[in-house]
């Protein structure tokens, strides 16, 4: 009514218009509504397209996972990695503050075909120094979900070291993936591709009793590098870096 007053339309005219609209609506109801059937068909088509897109994403993930990366080292729990640059000094302990530069992706490493960035310490409005976290406590995950493979990787690195790592689904988001109603941000059974540099390691943590209890009740699995048979037999030199067991 206020809109009518502002536009100068009289109340009687509006009533007449309303009556006309009501009559038209009554006539329309008596006619079959093919539009409703079209809407259902469109909804069915949309669901089919969404399912096809999810299957294509899963196929892309499977294809990327099939890449062998023959020069990568392997751990007992399935992490695969190469050391791009060696570091020095001790490895961090759980709860110790560290500074990272990292990029997480699916489908491959940055620059490879079909790679999709999931998270990164680099980019607009982000500190050029890197991202801080506490090592080995699930401090930096995706949508609140920790990445065990990231924790294990950081705990086996030294300050200044850079790696490329393939985290298997069993040490990431498993068979469920992660995402929302419109489709998974990370499809089920997706390996996570990690480029990471351990920029710096802070002081040893001073833990209170509650924090110590948390670490005891939430242990990380032990993981060691798998030593290839040719290294054990002496036909190939072992790499200088040999991560110790993670406590």
């Amino acid at each position: 009514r206020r809109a009518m007053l502002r536009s100068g339309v009289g109340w009687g005219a509006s009533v007449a218009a309303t009556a006309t609209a009501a009559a038209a609506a009554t006539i329309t109801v008596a006619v079959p509504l093919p539009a409703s059937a079209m809407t259902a068909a469109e909804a069915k088509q949309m669901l089919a397209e969404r399912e096809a897109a999810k299957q294509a994403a899963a196929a892309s993930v499977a294809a990327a996972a099939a890449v062998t990366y023959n020069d990568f080292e392997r751990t007992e729990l399935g992490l695969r990695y190469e050391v791009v640059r060696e570091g020095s000094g001790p490895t961090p302990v759980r709860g110790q503050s560290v500074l990272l530069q990292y990029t997480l992706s699916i489908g491959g490493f940055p620059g490879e075909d079909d790679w999709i960035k999931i998270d990164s310490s680099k980019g607009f409005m982000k500190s050029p120094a890197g991202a801080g976290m506490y090592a080995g406590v699930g401090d930096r995950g995706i949508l609140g979900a920790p990445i065990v493979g990231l924790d294990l990787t950081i705990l086996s690195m030294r300050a200044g070291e850079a790696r490329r790592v393939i985290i298997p689904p069993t040490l990431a988001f498993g068979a469920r993936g992660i995402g929302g109603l419109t489709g998974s941000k990370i499809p089920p059974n997706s390996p996570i591709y990690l480029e990471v540099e351990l920029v710096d390691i802070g002081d040893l943590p001073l833990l209170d009793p509650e924090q110590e209890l948390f670490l005891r009740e939430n242990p990380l699995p032990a993981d060691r590098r798998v030593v290839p048979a040719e290294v054990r037999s002496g036909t190939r030199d072992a790499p200088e870096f040999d991560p110790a067991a993670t406590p």
Side-chain angles (χ1 to χ4, degrees):
R1 186 180 299 179
R2 290 172 182 159
M4 293 173 188
L5 292 175
R6 287 197 298 269
S7 63
V9 177
W11 178 245
S14 68
V15 170
T18 303
T20 303
T26 303
I27 294 171
T28 303
V29 169
V31 177
L33 296 176
S36 298
M38 289 178 61
T39 301
E42 289 172 354
K44 185 176 181 180
Q45 177 65 22
M46 182 180 66
L47 291 174
E49 291 175 353
R50 182 178 298 174
E51 182 61 27
K54 292 175 71 172
Q55 291 179 2
S60 176
V61 168
V67 178
T68 56
Y69 298 98
N70 289 328
D71 54 343
F72 278 35
E73 300 292 335
R74 184 166 57 89
T75 73
E76 293 174 346
L77 294 182
L79 286 169
R80 304 196 67 179
Y81 69 92
E82 68 170 350
V83 178
V84 178
R85 184 176 64 249
E86 296 285 351
S88 61
T91 58
V93 300
R94 293 188 74 193
Q96 190 168 7
S97 63
V98 295
L99 189 64
L100 305 178
Q101 290 283 14
Y102 71 92
T103 298
L104 289 165
S105 58
I106 58 174
F109 290 107
E112 295 182 346
D113 293 342
D114 300 325
W115 84 282
I116 301 173
K117 183 173 74 173
I118 298 300
D119 189 27
S120 181
S121 62
K122 307 169 186 177
F124 182 66
M125 297 295 288
K126 294 186 177 181
S127 171
M133 66 173 286
Y134 293 99
V137 296
D139 188 36
R140 188 161 294 276
I142 302 296
L143 300 180
I147 305 173
V148 175
L150 173 60
D151 285 334
L152 293 173
T153 295
I154 298 306
L155 289 171
S156 63
M157 295 177 69
R158 307 176 190 278
E161 183 176 341
R163 289 188 189 184
R164 296 203 307 163
V165 186
I166 305 172
I167 303 174
T170 51
L171 297 177
F173 305 109
R176 296 183 61 182
I178 192 168
L181 297 176
T182 57
S184 294
K185 183 176 183 179
I186 301 175
N189 298 312
S190 297
I192 302 298
Y193 294 78
L194 168 67
E195 288 191 345
V196 60
E197 175 189 359
L198 182 55
V199 179
D200 200 6
I201 300 176
D203 296 332
L204 289 172
L206 298 175
L207 304 177
D208 61 36
E210 185 177 356
Q211 293 168 329
E212 291 178 348
L213 179 62
F214 170 83
L215 294 181
R216 286 197 301 271
E217 292 182 344
N218 297 273
L220 286 173
D223 197 17
R224 294 178 175 82
R225 182 178 63 85
V226 173
V227 180
E230 59 268 32
V231 173
R232 293 196 300 269
S233 64
T235 57
R236 181 166 72 86
D237 292 336
E240 294 181 9
F241 183 79
D242 186 4
T246 302

